[in-house]
Amino acid sequence: MKKLMAALAAVTLALCLAAQDKEATKPATAQLAGEWALSVDTPHGLVQGPLRLKEDGSGVSGTFEAEMFGTLPVKGSLDGKKVQLALEIADAQMTFKLTGEIDGAKMSGSTEMGGDWKAERK
């Protein structure tokens, strides 16, 4: 009986340690909520303006204000440090997609049209 109890205790301990190790290796999720200064290379040149984001779990929403386009709705997602944003351009009936990574108070990446983008927290 003592051997059975010792074996059960060892298995329980091993499972607890494995669960802790799995949590420790999960990448930390960055924080996107807040105001950013966004610069995007587009086919029409550099577009800049304030980007305001809110988070809801892994979902992201907000607005981007650009002189050329006005205020655009933004939707996206955050997975660890990987960011995906979609700027909805209603007048052109199109979505401009950005993918990249966040690193503290900065994020950057590329657009689906081959340009680059970057943002810094305000």
Side-chain angles (χ1 to χ4, degrees):
M1 186 69 161
K2 287 183 181 180
K3 287 183 180 182
L4 179 60
M5 293 301 282
L8 286 173
V11 169
T12 302
L13 179 60
L15 290 173
C16 288
L17 291 173
Q20 281 181 333
D21 190 42
K22 191 173 185 177
E23 285 297 314
T25 58
K26 262 186 172 176
T29 299
Q31 301 297 312
L32 280 182
E35 189 166 339
W36 300 79
L38 176 64
S39 298
V40 182
D41 290 326
T42 74
H44 302 287
L46 186 65
V47 176
Q48 298 176 308
L51 173 67
R52 292 176 185 88
L53 297 175
K54 297 176 189 174
E55 291 179 69
D56 182 15
S58 62
V60 177
S61 64
T63 59
F64 173 57
E65 293 178 33
E67 185 177 325
M68 178 184 269
F69 299 106
T71 301
L72 305 175
V74 177
K75 292 184 181 177
S77 64
L78 176 65
D79 183 12
K81 291 187 175 190
K82 294 182 181 182
V83 177
Q84 292 187 355
L85 300 173
L87 311 176
E88 303 286 334
I89 306 171
D91 292 342
Q93 296 182 342
M94 69 178 281
T95 302
F96 196 75
K97 296 181 182 175
L98 313 174
T99 58
E101 290 193 7
I102 181 171
D103 185 14
K106 295 182 180 183
M107 58 180 163
S108 62
S110 59
T111 69
E112 68 182 336
M113 295 182 180
D116 293 324
W117 67 274
K118 64 181 177 178
E120 290 191 32
R121 198 176 287 279
K122 284 188 167 186

